[in-house]
Amino acid sequence: MQRSRLRGLIRRLREARGAGALVRAADRVWWYRVISASPLVDPEYYAAQLGLRRLPASVAIAHYVIRGFRRGMSLNPLFDDVVAGWELPEVTRVPALYAYLVNERETISIHPWWDAAAYGAEHGGPGLEAAWGRRESGLQVRVAGHEWTLTVAEIRRRAISAARQWRRGTREGQAAPPRDVALIRIVQAHDRRYVRKLVQAAQRVDGWDVLVPLVDVDASQWVSTALLADLVPGLRVSGHRRGTRWLSVVAAAVRSTSAPVVAVLDPRAEFDDAQLDALVAQASAGAAVCAAHRAPDGTIDAVGAADVGGDRPYALLSGLPGDDLAGLPESVDVPLLSGRTFSMPAAILRRSLDTLDDGEPDALSAISRTVRDELPLRALPRVNPVLDEPAFAFSARPAARRGVRRHGVDDRSGAEAVLATAGFRVESWSEAEAGRIEPVLTWVRPHPDARRWAIKMCAPAGKQGAVWGDAHFARGLANALRRLGHTVVVDAYDARARSTTSVDDVSVAIRGPYAFEATSSGVNLEWIISHPDSLTREEVAGFDRVFAASHGWAERAGRRWGLDIVTLLPCTDTDVFHPRGLPRDEDIVFVGKTRGAVRPSVVEPVKAGIPVRVYGPDWAHFVPASSIAAKSIPHERLAERYETASIVLNDQWPDMQREGFMTLRPFDVVAVEGRLVSEPVEGLEDLFDGAVVTYRDTAHLVEMLSAPADDLFPDAERLRQIAARVREEHSFDARAAVLDQAAREIAARRR
C-alpha cells in the first residue's frame, strides 16, 4: 500500500509545473543507469539508425532514453520496441528496453518473427539474453506459415542494413511477376498492430502482387518489415517520408503493378480474410467498392458518400451507431465512394489518377466521380473495421486546389435510398457547421410496439473495448431487448453523446467507472453496476429513472439525495452461461487483471502454497510464472472454465464491496453450476443459497482453500437447482423486462 502511494505521489509530481521537469530528468537518468548495466546494447546497430557508422554505447543509450525510443529506435537488433511495447506497462512514457529489463522477462514477446519465450525456455533464462550471448546460434524465424533458421549474426547484419535504409527513408521493392490482384497494404508510424497486417499481407504473396508502402514508420517497424521482405519472395516494400499525401502513396503503388485489380486498405484498420476477399470479389466482377469504416468511437464513419451541396460530400450514415450496419445488405449501391479502403479495376483507376492531383481533399470521392460512368459504385457494410489507429503519417497541409469544387450533380435521392435501406427517413436537409449539408433523420418503426434503444457503456470501441466486462454486459442486455422485439444499438463511451441521439426512443446508460449525462431526447435510464464512490447527485438526477445493483446503496443514496433509486441486481447472460455437463477438475481458478496492485485473494493463497490457476494480464510481478495459466481467456470459454473448476475465486473493488455491489462473476459462475469463493458482500451468500461462500480475511481464505472443496458447497443436485433458479430469475431477459416496463411507463406518462 505504501509503495502504491509513493508511485501515485511521483506520478503527480511528474506532471507538476517546475518540479515535473526535475522528476522527468531523474527518470531519464534512472533509465540510462538500468540500460547501461545490461549487456544487450549494440552501439553499431543504433548508430545505423542515426546514419552513422559507429557510436559510443554511452551516447547511444543517452540518445535512446531522451528521444530515440519515441521513434521506435532500438538498442538491440533482436528487440522490436513497438512489438515489445504491446505487453509492457507505461511504454508510451518509458523506453521499451528499460520496461523489459525491470519486468519478468521470460514471458515477454519482443520481436514479431522469433519467439524469445520459447528460446529462453529451451536455453535457460530470458530468451533475448540467451540468444544475444550465442551470436552463431540459429534462431527459428516463423511467419505466415513459413520458417527459416538464421543465426543471430545474420539477423544483426540484415537489421543494420535495414536501419541505414530507414534513416535515408528509401527502399524500393523488386519487380513482381504478373498477378490477378494487387494488394496495397500501407503501414504508418506508431501502428501497434502492424505485425498482424504484415502477416496477412505475407499470406497473400503466393497469389497476389503484395505491396507494402511504409509511410514515416518507426525504426523497429522498418527493420522488422525489411527482414520479412528479405525472406518472403513477392512481398514488395517501399519507403515514403512523413508528409506524403495518401493519394501520392496509392498512385505510386498502382503504377508499379500490372495486376488487373487493385485493393487498397486503410492503414488505420485491420481486415479479416473474409473482408479482404469480399473487396476483391466485387472489383473482379467489374465494380468499384469501398468499405463501411467505423470511426474510432465505433460510430459509422461512412457507407459511401453523396454530393448534396455544401463544401464536401455527405458521408452516408455518418455518426450513427455501428450496429445500424446490421440491417444493410452485403453491398449497397452508393453515389460516391468514401474513405481510404477501396478496390476497383486497375486500368480504370490509372486513368482516373492521371486526371487528379494529390491535393484532392476527398481523394476517393474524387476518384469515384471520374469512374462512375464506367463502373457501378458500391459500399460493403460487412467490411466495417474500426479505425483503431490514428493517422500519423500523411500530410495535413491545405489542399493544393482551394475553394469549393461544384460538380453539378445532386445525389440526394441516392443518399435517401441508402438511408431508407438502413431504416431511416430523411425529413429535410440542413446546413451543418463548416458548410456541410446533412440530413435530419427519423427512425422508421418496423412495427408499432418496437422502440429504438441505445445502450451506453463505459468500454471503448474496437478490439480494445471488446474484452471489457462492460462490453459483454451491454451485448447481453442488447440481445435480451431484441428478443422483446426492439431495435438495439450499443454506444462505446466516446460515442455516448453522438450527434444522432435524436433518432433513439430510449437510452440506458450502464454506469461503470465513468460518468454519463442524459441525452436531450427520448426516455433516459441509468443502471449503476459499479464504482458508486464516483457518483454525484447531479448525474443521477438527470435521468428519468435510475437503477442500482445494490439494495443497500440504492436506499442510502436515495434518502441522502432525495431521489427514487430502484434496486436492479446484476445478472448473467444465459446465451453464454449455461451448464454443458462437463466434469469438474481440481483447479482453483481466478480470472481478471491485476488492476496494478496486489489482489490478496490471489496472492495470499499462492504464497501459502495453494495452486491457483490465474487467467489475466500483468500478473508476472505478483505470482510465479507457474501460476499463470494464460494472459487471457476468450469470453466464450469462460462458462466452460467456471463449470470445470473446483473453485472460482472472486474479489471486489473496495467501494463496491463496502456499498453492497456484486460483480457479474457470482451470477456467471453459479449459472453454470460452478462454485465460488468470494470476499463478503451484503446479501451475496443469501442470494446464492450456498453456491457462493465468503471469507472473513485472507487467513480464513487460505484455511478454506486448504480444506476439501466438496465440504464447502452443496452437492451436485442442489447446485443444479440453484443454477436453474439463477438462470430464470437473474438473466438479462429478466432485467430487460424490468427496463422495458419502466421505459413504457415513462413514455406513457409523457404522452
Side-chain angles (χ1 to χ4, degrees):
M1 185 64 70
Q2 290 179 345
R3 182 178 297 179
S4 297
R5 289 198 186 106
L6 179 60
R7 286 175 179 167
L9 175 61
I10 293 173
R11 191 178 298 114
R12 290 191 294 273
L13 286 173
R14 188 177 288 119
E15 302 302 322
R17 184 174 299 176
L22 294 175
V23 174
R24 292 190 293 273
D27 284 341
R28 290 191 287 270
V29 171
W30 178 246
W31 300 338
Y32 178 94
R33 290 185 59 184
V34 170
I35 296 171
S36 296
S38 166
L40 298 174
V41 176
D42 185 342
E44 184 181 355
Y45 173 55
Y46 199 84
Q49 296 164 71
L50 293 173
L52 304 173
R53 284 290 170 185
R54 54 183 50 85
L55 198 66
S58 58
V59 176
I61 298 170
H63 185 277
Y64 174 71
V65 301
I66 292 172
R67 65 169 61 91
F69 79 92
R70 298 194 183 280
R71 278 310 317 263
M73 297 173 71
S74 173
L75 287 165
N76 188 287
L78 301 181
F79 187 90
D80 183 315
D81 267 48
V82 178
V83 170
W86 295 343
E87 300 185 31
L88 294 165
E90 293 191 290
V91 78
T92 57
R93 186 183 69 82
V94 307
L97 184 60
Y98 163 79
Y100 167 82
L101 291 170
V102 298
N103 277 273
E104 188 166 331
R105 291 163 277 171
E106 284 80 358
T107 62
I108 297 172
S109 296
I110 60 167
H111 197 275
W113 316 135
W114 74 281
D115 189 338
Y119 190 90
E122 180 181 351
H123 293 88
L128 177 59
E129 285 83 340
W132 192 240
R134 297 174 172 85
R135 298 293 180 90
E136 299 307 318
S137 65
L139 288 184
Q140 298 301 311
V141 176
R142 298 183 179 90
V143 60
H146 304 285
E147 183 173 326
W148 306 266
T149 300
L150 300 178
T151 66
V152 172
E154 173 65 9
I155 293 175
R156 178 177 182 271
R157 183 188 67 76
R158 291 174 182 269
I160 289 174
S161 175
R164 293 193 176 110
Q165 293 174 342
W166 175 74
R167 189 64 187 178
R168 293 193 297 269
T170 58
R171 179 184 173 94
E172 293 300 330
Q174 68 276 25
R179 302 289 194 186
D180 291 335
V181 175
L183 173 64
I184 301 173
R185 186 13 132 185
I186 302 169
V187 175
Q188 63 176 8
H190 312 325
D191 187 341
R192 299 162 294 168
R193 300 174 176 86
Y194 87 97
V195 172
R196 293 198 286 265
K197 298 169 185 177
L198 289 180
V199 169
Q200 184 185 52
Q203 290 170 335
R204 297 282 177 159
V205 295
D206 289 339
W208 293 1
D209 183 11
V210 180
L211 304 97
V212 181
L214 304 177
V215 184
D216 189 44
V217 294
D218 297 329
S220 288
Q221 292 174 291
W222 182 288
V223 171
S224 293
T225 305
L227 176 60
L228 179 65
D230 288 345
L231 297 174
V232 179
L235 188 70
R236 298 201 284 150
V237 176
S238 60
H240 300 265
R241 294 185 180 278
R242 183 175 183 83
T244 306
R245 288 190 174 275
W246 174 81
L247 190 58
S248 296
V249 174
V250 171
V254 169
R255 287 166 181 148
S256 74
T257 182
S258 60
V261 171
V262 172
V264 180
L265 305 184
D266 193 306
R268 298 168 291 176
E270 289 183 68
F271 300 80
D272 62 34
D273 288 337
Q275 293 175 325
L276 189 50
D277 289 337
L279 276 168
V280 170
Q282 292 265 354
S284 298
V289 298
C290 65
H293 295 116
R294 286 175 288 160
D297 65 1
T299 60
I300 298 170
D301 187 62
V303 186
D307 282 326
V308 296
D311 293 349
R312 305 185 71 170
Y314 163 60
L316 298 173
L317 277 74
S318 175
L320 288 162
D323 286 320
D324 282 317
L325 294 169
L328 294 170
E330 290 189 8
S331 69
V332 179
D333 289 336
V334 294
L336 296 174
L337 304 183
S338 63
R340 287 181 174 173
T341 296
F342 71 95
S343 185
M344 70 174 64
I348 295 175
L349 175 58
R350 290 190 193 96
R351 289 203 302 271
S352 173
L353 292 171
D354 290 340
T355 68
L356 303 174
D357 63 45
D358 69 356
E360 291 287 347
D362 292 288
L364 188 52
S365 294
I367 290 171
S368 56
R369 287 190 192 97
T370 67
V371 304
R372 63 180 165 188
D373 291 337
E374 301 178 74
L375 298 170
L377 305 183
R378 295 179 184 139
L380 306 182
R382 301 293 178 269
V383 184
N384 56 22
V386 174
L387 300 173
D388 287 297
E389 298 292 335
F392 283 108
F394 296 109
S395 173
R397 297 192 308 271
R401 295 180 178 177
R402 300 178 181 276
V404 178
R405 297 186 63 201
R406 301 294 182 185
H407 303 286
V409 176
D410 190 330
D411 291 327
R412 294 190 186 191
S413 61
E416 290 174 4
V418 175
L419 289 162
T421 303
F424 298 95
R425 181 173 60 249
V426 177
E427 300 294 344
S428 63
W429 292 89
S430 64
E431 184 169 351
E433 60 183 9
R436 295 196 315 273
I437 304 297
E438 294 185 348
V440 177
L441 298 177
T442 298
W443 179 66
V444 180
R445 234 180 273 284
H447 58 84
D449 289 334
R451 297 294 180 271
R452 180 179 167 92
W453 286 67
I455 299 174
K456 317 283 185 179
M457 63 177 180
C458 287
K463 293 189 175 182
Q464 180 187 359
V467 299
W468 280 45
D470 301 62
H472 300 310
F473 192 103
R475 283 196 294 271
L477 178 58
N479 289 333
L481 287 165
R482 288 174 185 135
R483 285 191 283 270
L484 292 175
H486 299 304
T487 294
V488 187
V489 297
V490 176
D491 287 320
Y493 188 71
D494 286 344
R496 64 195 182 279
R498 56 180 160 78
S499 60
T500 56
T501 57
S502 61
V503 300
D504 305 324
D505 296 312
V506 185
S507 296
V508 53
I510 308 301
R511 177 51 154 93
Y514 310 130
F516 287 93
E517 291 183 3
T519 62
S520 58
S521 61
V523 173
N524 278 274
L525 309 177
E526 184 173 46
W527 188 0
I528 302 162
I529 63 170
S530 68
H531 296 78
D533 280 5
S534 63
L535 284 152
T536 64
R537 186 188 188 284
E538 289 72 23
E539 176 184 347
V540 173
F543 289 86
D544 296 312
R545 191 165 299 177
V546 177
F547 302 86
S550 166
H551 179 71
W553 184 87
E555 286 192 342
R556 291 188 293 272
R559 286 196 305 269
R560 183 168 67 250
W561 292 337
L563 300 172
D564 183 20
I565 302 176
V566 181
T567 301
L568 193 64
L569 295 178
C571 54
T572 187
D573 185 351
T574 53
D575 292 341
V576 177
F577 294 98
H578 53 84
R580 291 157 174 79
L582 302 173
R584 203 180 301 281
D585 56 33
E586 299 298 319
D587 289 349
I588 299 172
V589 168
F590 180 86
V591 180
K593 300 178 180 179
T594 64
R595 299 175 184 160
V598 173
R599 296 181 78 160
S601 60
V602 179
V603 173
E604 293 305 319
V606 171
K607 283 183 179 179
I610 294 171
V612 178
R613 302 280 291 164
V614 178
Y615 295 81
D618 306 326
W619 279 100
H621 278 310
F622 302 99
V623 298
S626 59
S627 294
I628 302 173
K631 293 179 181 178
S632 64
I633 182 169
H635 184 68
E636 59 271 16
R637 286 194 53 217
L638 272 180
E640 173 187 334
R641 181 66 283 203
Y642 290 161
E643 184 178 1
T644 57
S646 174
I647 291 174
V648 179
L649 297 177
N650 180 61
D651 60 10
Q652 305 267 141
W653 286 95
D655 61 337
M656 291 179 63
Q657 181 190 17
R658 184 180 65 252
E659 297 292 357
F661 281 80
M662 302 175 194
T663 66
L664 291 181
R665 185 164 291 123
F667 296 86
D668 294 342
V669 171
V670 176
V672 299
E673 300 176 12
R675 308 186 298 195
L676 189 85
V677 172
S678 175
E679 284 183 320
V681 180
E682 178 186 359
L684 183 62
E685 286 192 314
D686 293 338
L687 184 65
F688 292 103
D689 291 335
V692 175
V693 295
T694 62
Y695 57 89
R696 296 184 301 274
D697 50 35
T698 53
H700 185 210
L701 172 62
V702 170
E703 178 186 335
M704 292 170 66
L705 297 181
S706 301
D710 291 345
D711 294 347
L712 295 174
F713 298 98
D715 61 28
E717 178 57 33
R718 180 62 182 141
L719 283 175
R720 274 193 290 273
Q721 295 171 1
I722 298 168
R725 179 182 62 79
V726 166
R727 293 195 302 273
E728 180 180 355
E729 298 178 4
H730 301 289
S731 66
F732 275 111
D733 291 281
R735 302 295 185 260
V738 174
L739 296 171
D740 188 35
Q741 181 62 30
R744 290 179 183 278
E745 291 173 359
I746 294 166
R749 188 166 62 242
R750 288 181 178 174
R751 287 196 297 270

